[in-house]
Amino acid sequence: RLQMLNHYLRAQSLDALGQSKEALAEADKAIQSLGSAYPEAHVQRVALLALRARLQTALGQPDAAAATIAQAMALHVAPSLLSAKDAGTLDLTGH
């Protein structure tokens, strides 16, 4: 879990610095780490997928972002369990 958290925090930091490509690589590592350690951690996985979708959008990858959003939506996490930013990314704010 610590490895996943490190990758997640690094991805957020790189995103804040405008380094979307590097942030996306870190987000992907965080998702992989979470999947192998905690396959049942749906809320965290959706948050990471929302971050990935934002980064893909920033990198001009709308098809990839749409696929990532579909992955997140398939986990059926209640919007109330997500941050406003993540729910907005997944267009769950009105549901």
Side-chain angles (χ1 to χ4, degrees), residues 2 8 11 17 19-20 25 27-28 31 34 38 41 49 51 63 65 83 85 89-90:
L2 184 59
Y8 176 65
L17 293 171
Q19 297 177 15
S20 299
D28 285 341
I31 291 166
L34 182 65
Y38 300 96
L49 290 168
L51 174 60
D63 292 341
S83 71
K85 187 174 188 177
T89 297
L90 302 174

Side-chain angles (χ1 to χ4, degrees), residues 6-44:
N6 285 337
H7 289 302
Y8 176 65
L9 293 174
R10 185 165 166 78
Q12 286 187 316
S13 298
L14 289 166
D15 182 34
L17 293 171
Q19 297 177 15
S20 299
K21 185 175 180 180
E22 294 83 358
L24 180 58
E26 288 297 324
D28 285 341
K29 289 176 187 176
I31 291 166
Q32 290 171 352
S33 296
L34 182 65
S36 61
Y38 300 96
E40 71 286 351
H42 293 314
V43 174
Q44 292 89 350

Side-chain angles (χ1 to χ4, degrees), residues 69-86:
I69 289 170
Q71 277 184 291
M73 299 288 285
L75 294 172
H76 303 288
V77 170
S80 62
L81 298 176
L82 301 172
S83 71
K85 187 174 188 177
D86 292 343

